[in-house]
Every structure is written in C-alpha cells, then in structure tokens.
Amino acid sequence: MDLKHLAVRPEATASGLPENGAGNADPGMVGGEADPAMVQMLSPEGELLLHGPYGAYAAELDAEDLRGMYRDMYTIRRFDQEATALQRQGELVMWVPMTGQEGAQIGSGSALQQQDYVFPTYREHGVALTRGLELSSLLRRFRGVSHGGWDPSETNFHLYTLVLAAQVPHAVGYAMGMARDRKIDPQLPEAATVAYFGDGASSEGDVHESMVFAASYDAPVVFFCQNNHWAISVPTEVQSRIPLANRAKGYGFPGIRVDGNDAVAVRAVTSWALEHARSGKGPVLIEAFTYRMSAHTTADDPTKYRLSADEEAWISRDPLIRLEKHLRAAGLADDEFFEALAAEGQAMAEKLRADVLAMSSPGFTDAFTDVYAEAHPLIQEELEFHRRYEAGFADSQEPTA
Amino acid sequence: MTERTFHLPDVGEGLTEADIVQWKVQAGDTVAVNDVIVEIETAKSLVELPSPYAGTVSALLVEEGQTVDVGTPIISVAAGSPAQESGQQPGAPMTPAPVPAAAADDDGQPSASLTGTGPKADAVKRRPRTGRTAPSAAGKPAAPAPAAASAAPAPAAAPPAPTVPAPDPRPQAVAAAGAAVQDTLSRLIQRVLAKPPVRKAAKDLGINLAEVPATGASGEVTKQDLISYQAQREAEQQSADTFWAGAQKPRDERIERVPVKGVRRATAKAMVESAFSAPHVSIFVDVDASRTMEFVKRLKASRDFDGIKVSPLLILAKAVIWAAARNPSVNATWAGDEILVKHFMNLGIAAATPRGLMVPNIKDAQDLSLKELAIALNALAATARAGKTPPADMQGGTLTITNIGALGIDTGTPIINPGEVAIVAFGTIKQKPWVVEGEVVPRWVTTLGGSFDHRVVDGDLSARFMADVAAILEEPALLLD
C-alpha cells in the first residue's frame, strides 16, 4: 500500500497548522495543490491545537461535549463487536463492521442539528447513534426480518442503502426539496442533508451527477466521503490519482480533507460545512481520511489483500485512544469515567443480544403497510384478496410469505 | 443445567460448509458468551467463532480437520453460571474483547438461527387447500362451499405435500464458463500425440489417429503403429470380402473347422470351471472419471514419468489394490473348507494376445509405487502382445482386471479367473452428459463392472469394494492417504 498520505500527517501535527486554513478568506476551498493539507486538531498524542478557520467551531466544545463524543465512539465500537459476534453465531446473515471509523462518524454525526437529514450507506452505525436511533433496529435488516428496520422520519436518518452511491442523488434531491419548502414557508429552520459515501462509491457515476446538480442548484448538501482506504479489496490509489477532496474543485465548491480519526476536527469541519450549506451557499465535500480497521463485511477476509503491517500502522491513530489521551491529560475524565463506560457498554451489548434474539419474523401483511403513506384503495383490495387466499388453506396458521 | 447445541453457522454469504481448523476449548472448559471456541476455515477465510452460550463445554461434536456442513451441531454447552470477570479495557478495544456475562436467552435452541441461508434453500412444502377446486379464479368468494367443508374430514383424500426441489440459483454465466473450461480440458485430453509426418500419413489414409494403439515412448502414435494398423485394417477388409461362402457351395465347405487346443482349450476349461462352480454375482457402477483423466494427463506431462506410458488403467490398478486392502475378502481363494485370504496382490491383467486370452499378473503389486506399477503394466502388456508371456507370469493371480474399454466397450459381466473370487471390468471412458449440482455437463464417464464369487463375497462387500474403486477414479487424490 502507498503510505505517502500517511507520511503527511505527523509533519502537519508538528507544525500545528494545516496550511489551507491560515488566513484564507474562503476556508473551505482547496488551493489547487495536488495534495491538500489535512485539517487536524487533536494530535495522535492527544494534544488539542485549535486554530485556523475551523478552530472556532472546536473551541465551542465543552468538556461534556468531548466526553459525549468519546462515550458515543466507545458505545458504537462495543456495538460493532457484539454485532460481529452475533453474525459469527449465526444470528445475523451478515454484518458490516465500522471499527476504526468512529472518529469520522461520531464527529460528523454530532455536528448535525435536528432538522438536518442524513442519507447513510450501510456502515454509518455511529451516525445512527448520534441521531438517537435505537441500535437494535440497525440489526433488523441484517437479521433478515425487515427491509428497512426503522422509520426514517422519526430521526431524520434514512434507511441504509446497499446499492453503492444510490443514496447520493437522493440526498441532493432531498436537499433541493428542503430549500424549496423554505421558500414557501420561511418559518422552517434552515436545514441541510448529508450524503455519506465511501472512497469506493466516489467512483460511481451517481456521485458525479449528484455533485453537478448540487452545484447547479446550490443545494444545501454536505457530501461526506469516508475515505477508509479500501473499496473492499481495491485501494484508494486505484480509485483516484488525486486526493478525493480535490475533486470538489472541478465542480466549483469547497473540498476539505480532514483527519477522520480526529473526532474534534471532523466535528468542527462538518459544523462549518453544514452552516455553509444551510445558509444557501451551496454544497461542500468533506473527505474524512480514515481507515477500516476490520473487514469490509463478515464475508470478507482482508488478510488476502492487505498487509497486517498496514493495519498496525493505523492502530496508533485509533480515534478512541487519541481522544482518551486528551480527556485524561486535560483532566476531563478519570478512571471512574472509563470504567463506568465499560459497564454501560456491556449492558448495552447484553440488551442488544436479547433484543436481537427476540426479533420475530414479520407477517406477510406487513408488506402492505408502508406502500403508501395513507390508505390506498388498490392496496386495500390486494390485502383483502391476500387474506381470503390465506384463509383458504386447511391448516391455515400464521401466514408466512 | 440446560444443554445447548451450537450449529455451524454460515459465516459468509451462502457458504455451505467449513473445515474445523482448531478447537480453542475442550470438554469440561468453562466458556462465556463470545469467548472464542473454535477456528474454522471457509471457502472465503479463516474465522474464529465466538460462543453463543455461557456454561461448561459438555462435548465437542466434530473433530479438527473435519469438513462440516453448515447447520451441523459442533459443540454442546451445559448452561451454568460462569465466573464473572471484569470486562472491557476502555480506549484500546481494536480487537473484540471477551464478553463475560451470561446470555440472556433461556430456551435450549438459538432462536431461529439463520444458518444455511445460502444455496441450500428449504424445499417448498405445499399446504393442502380446503376446497378441491382450483383456487386460481381471483374473483371467487372466500367462504368455502359447504360441500368442500364436508369433504374436509377425510384426511386421506387430501393431496400429499409434494416437495419441490429448489431451483439452482446459480446464474447461467457460471455454467457457461464451466462448460468452456470443460471443453478446453476435453480437447487437451483427447489430443493424440504423433509426429507431423505420421499425422499427415494418417490423414491421407483416412485413419483417425485416436483409434491407433500407440506404443511410442511418450505415448505417441509411431509410424510403425500406423503401418500395422493400416495392415490390420486392410486384412480385415479383404477377408471380410471373401468371408461369406455362397449357397451354391457344398455344406462342408461352408463350415470351417478350427481345432481347439492350447490357449483356446485352456481358456474354455477355465471359464467353464469358473462359471459353473463359482456362483457369480455381477454389479456395475457408473463413474465420473474426469479427475482420473486429468491426473493421467498430468502424469504424462511430468518429467518423472518421462518415457513411461501412462493410461487410466494404471489408476484403476492402483485403485483396485487400494480397495482390496480395505475389503480383503475380494482378494481370496475358495478352498472348499476354508477361504484363503491373500495378504498380497498378484494383480492379473486380462490381455488379448496373438495366442489368445492370457491373464498374466503383476506379482506383489501392493509394494509397487505408481511409477513402478506403470512400468510393470507396460512390460506385462508388451510381453503379452509379443506372445512371450511365460507361464509363471500367469500363475498365482489373486484378482484380475479386464480392460474391455480398450476395445470401446462400456461394460460386461466378466467371468472370474479360476482360483480367484473377483474380477473388475474397466469400461471405455468417454464423454457423456453427467449431472453436476443440477446441471448437465459433459464429463469423462466410465462404467465399472465387477463379478464376484458369492461363496466368498457377499453383495454388501462387493458393493463396498466397487464403491471404493469408483471413489478413487472419481478422486485419485484419495490414494495419497
């Protein structure tokens, strides 16, 4: 694997300041260099350096915010482990681990406001947590008992999209719709959408079309690309000759590369981008530079295509360790805090396991319930027919598709 | 204490089996939920399985090295209360940490385990309808007619629930690709070796080189082979022209008298003796010998076998020796009051020679390596063809193979060589439609026939012996164990 990107970071930390930020009137715009400096606020040693155009956003965070972000990162990693175990025990058909990407997900998710709307891929478990989604509902689809698993309108967190990049045009369209709604009703809060996708999906045509439309209509959308370095087995270098954040320049909107394992920086950059989008200035592309520490899915074996040395190189950049170092050094959290968190995580995992094992298969009639928002005569007719049909069997029992 | 059994899950998407690589626990060990219990290897990766239960391991139900189908019970755990340990290390959980607490579920079976969700779709069971009329008319009122209701109490009248096999989910493209590989392989196997001038001569003479017995050092058809084949063909054709004697000839001249002597007499005597004293039982088995063909091809190509003629008969010979060791009664002699089981293999090969049928045997064939056996077979055949088989070579045989496939015959009911109790007929190997996982594909198929002396070898033993021989032809790699 090409490690040239990795080499950039320690130097940037040493100098303390990402170059693209200092004194730049338009803080988001990448300067056109082949390799934009990466925004970072929390060094791998846990040192917090707030400056540059995004520093103000990080400065707003108090101790409780930082502890909350750590709690979320810890919780979602514990959740990820339990879900993986459940899959290995035959209780889930498949699982999509996210370990290593907690900083990018919790950092960006915690920057969202209630009225914002999220279009996730299938790996945004951390973002789901920040949206207040009941975590077990994420597993309904992976257990095969639901086509969705939750009501997106309750948390403004859309259903997982398994087709690569298919959610990105949706996010743009939804953003355009929200902007129009506000023209009709100016009382509505300013809002933006976030389109999550990965480095692999960035090669899909949908992403290109989405960015063209978003730029054309100044749609309030933040394209949040988690560059976890691996599109299953294809490294990022194969997907792009230039840093992905640079692509934004071609569409004429800001592109920022942020250290995805630095939850503070991610939160600051995302806060700025959301504000930019909500205020009608158009889209922003954020490339969160991170690493998928685990397999692509439980059906994947990363040892077949990458070296364990590459994985080990990223362990020292673990987003949890970094924030923990800071919390301890700054005296914001003590052993008691972390012990309590471990106990909470354990309780969460046990409840999750119990919830999953108790999930029941849906009845066939459930398939009719969400076709239209309101009752529809054709659907009612078909439902009635189905009931009559089911009743026509000698051993008529609970219908099971 | 409830006993719970963990069934091998499908840890990939649609995997059907896995190898048990290493057990991390043993019977009597205490395990907690999510403790790693076993490492398995699937077609996709090495995977560690965490325990779904807490308690004491009561038994490991499969062994290391075993290949196990998804859904097979692999471990049973007696639920108990394992010692509580303190859990997570905050901040450093890059690798899944053990989770010590007890499982929350309390029923014996894991609820609706999702194992086996891959290609092994459950057979569809059709439920009986209440009415006898077809339910296809969509507009029909739902209420069952009284007549139908009265018919319902007779359960025997209800149609049985037929099981419908699940359709093969594999896309056509996969089958097509498989067929292409098969095709290439077939062409390679079918390719007859010969030097260009021999090829041209064969073409000019209208001879299919594949039909010419090859004697070349690397199994190629030589110029001499082609000439002898042509001579033999001409002789047959000429004599065929003059064979029939017209009706106008006197009767005596229309019947040729051939004196019975020598080998003919011996053969006749032996066959009568065998056929009318040993009650023969003959069985047959069709075999997909594609892997044998591949194996033979590889042997031909290998430097080790340079200059040695290799044919499927070599693999069959090896298979027979292997199978006889597993079913020793087939390698025996009926001696009236006792059965003499031979702990050595003098493997007879029925050979058509200029003098007639001969069955020379390879002494102590069980001690020969594959290469030595190949050399012995070649020497035996060459000597027999030259009519120089010494009598000693034909004595003391313990089991015989007759290679009728060399003559293009599928199978037959061979007669046992006297003094022995089993004979195997090796049919021709040719491409035939064969069903592999629901797909008809061309495979190299042969039929093995076997005759056994029922005084010594009962049906089940002969069947096991033949199945073992067939297993080797299907997978010659089994010889390695």
Side-chain angles (χ1 to χ4, degrees), chain A residues 139-259:
Chain A
L139 302 187
R140 296 179 58 77
R141 186 177 201 151
F142 292 98
R143 192 166 164 83
V145 298
S146 171
H147 291 301
W150 59 91
D151 179 353
S153 65
E154 286 173 5
T155 51
N156 279 7
F157 184 76
H158 203 68
L159 294 178
Y160 274 177
T161 301
L162 301 191
V163 178
L164 278 190
Q167 75 282 7
V168 184
H170 302 165
V172 174
Y174 199 93
M176 289 164 65
M178 288 200 301
R180 285 164 198 211
D181 283 349
R182 248 180 61 78
K183 279 192 177 155
I184 295 170
D185 181 2
Q187 298 303 311
L188 289 172
E190 289 182 339
T193 64
V194 183
Y196 282 91
F197 58 98
D199 46 307
S202 75
S203 299
E204 297 275 339
D206 305 46
V207 171
H208 171 66
E209 294 163 31
S210 302
M211 290 186 175
V212 169
F213 259 78
S216 300
Y217 290 88
D218 273 340
V221 53
V222 173
F223 296 104
F224 195 93
C225 175
Q226 284 170 83
N227 177 357
N228 71 13
H229 284 72
W230 289 96
I232 308 189
S233 56
V234 179
T236 319
E237 292 78 18
V238 177
Q239 309 264 350
S240 182
R241 296 183 179 192
I242 59 164
L244 291 170
N246 285 16
R247 289 189 178 171
K249 192 173 165 54
Y251 300 99
F253 54 79
I256 310 162
R257 174 178 274 194
V258 62
D259 183 346

Side-chain angles (χ1 to χ4, degrees), chain B residues 147-369:
Chain B
S150 67
T163 51
V164 180
D168 192 319
R170 291 182 304 164
Q172 289 299 312
V174 174
V181 170
Q182 190 75 39
D183 238 38
T184 314
L185 187 65
S186 307
R187 275 202 302 276
L188 284 172
I189 292 173
Q190 273 171 332
R191 190 179 151 81
V192 179
L193 294 177
K195 287 171 181 165
V198 177
R199 275 187 203 287
K200 176 160 192 312
K203 201 176 169 189
D204 292 344
L205 290 166
I207 291 172
N208 179 2
L209 275 178
E211 290 168 11
V212 181
T215 66
S218 309
E220 83 271 28
V221 175
T222 64
K223 184 181 170 192
Q224 192 55 46
D225 292 340
L226 189 66
I227 290 169
S228 343
Y229 182 81
Q230 171 64 2
Q232 185 198 341
R233 207 169 64 143
E234 276 171 1
E236 278 169 12
Q237 282 165 356
Q238 279 161 12
S239 63
D241 285 342
T242 57
F243 178 71
W244 302 119
Q248 69 281 7
K249 284 195 178 176
R251 189 172 171 214
D252 270 357
E253 287 181 37
R254 295 175 77 190
I255 296 172
E256 189 184 357
R257 288 169 192 273
V258 179
V260 175
K261 55 184 184 185
V263 174
R264 183 77 266 147
R265 180 181 291 273
T267 301
K269 182 167 175 288
M271 289 301 101
V272 167
E273 196 180 294
S274 172
F276 295 108
S277 63
H280 280 54
V281 55
S282 294
I283 58 174
F284 309 98
V285 56
D286 281 345
V287 185
D288 174 0
S290 303
R291 290 209 166 123
T292 289
M293 296 299 270
E294 277 183 62
F295 186 38
V296 165
K297 187 175 139 247
R298 282 204 205 102
L299 288 179
K300 279 179 176 168
S302 86
R303 190 170 296 173
D304 222 7
F305 281 76
D306 201 8
I308 299 170
K309 186 169 176 258
V310 180
S311 75
L313 180 64
L314 170 63
I315 313 304
L316 179 78
K318 203 72 181 164
V320 165
I321 296 166
W322 183 81
R326 291 160 62 101
N327 308 277
S329 296
V330 301
N331 196 44
T333 295
W334 172 262
D337 293 334
E338 50 190 354
I339 294 166
L340 314 176
V341 178
K342 315 284 177 63
H343 289 262
F344 56 90
M345 172 65 78
N346 292 346
L347 183 65
I349 305 290
T353 74
R355 293 163 56 204
L357 177 68
M358 302 255 176
V359 188
N361 59 66
I362 299 170
K363 299 284 190 294
D364 287 314
Q366 79 281 353
D367 292 334
L368 301 183
S369 70

Side-chain angles (χ1 to χ4, degrees), chain A residues 27-52:
Chain A
M29 187 64 86
V30 168
E33 277 72 39
D35 200 357
M38 185 158 55
V39 179
Q40 187 184 68
M41 309 221 171
L42 206 53
S43 74
E45 291 70 44
E47 196 184 352
L48 191 60
L49 297 162
L50 301 181
H51 36 201

Side-chain angles (χ1 to χ4, degrees), chain A residues 70 74 78 81-82 87-91 143 298 301 304 318 321 324 346 350 353 357 388 390 392-394, chain B residues 6 9 11 13 34 44-45 47 49-51 88 90-91 93-94 99 101 110-111 114 127-130 142:
Chain A
Y70 185 87
Y74 183 90
R78 185 65 189 81
Q81 290 165 358
E82 195 66 16
Q87 196 280 336
R88 294 297 185 225
Q89 289 154 359
E91 300 295 349
R143 192 166 164 83
T298 45
D301 179 3
K304 289 188 175 159
D318 187 322
I321 294 173
E324 183 190 344
Q346 183 58 29
E350 283 168 24
R353 174 172 289 268
L357 296 178
R388 284 199 306 273
E390 279 296 336
F393 288 98
Chain B
F6 182 35
V11 295
E13 292 171 79
N34 291 355
K44 290 183 174 179
S45 58
V47 172
L49 295 187
S51 173
Q88 303 282 300
M94 270 301 190
V99 183
S111 59
L114 296 166
R127 287 183 288 158
R129 302 299 305 258
T130 48

Side-chain angles (χ1 to χ4, degrees), chain A residues 41-71:
Chain A
M41 309 221 171
L42 206 53
S43 74
E45 291 70 44
E47 196 184 352
L48 191 60
L49 297 162
L50 301 181
H51 36 201
Y54 313 109
Y57 292 88
E60 290 172 5
L61 303 176
D62 59 21
E64 193 45 52
D65 289 330
L66 293 177
R67 279 196 295 265
M69 282 166 67
Y70 185 87
R71 176 180 286 112

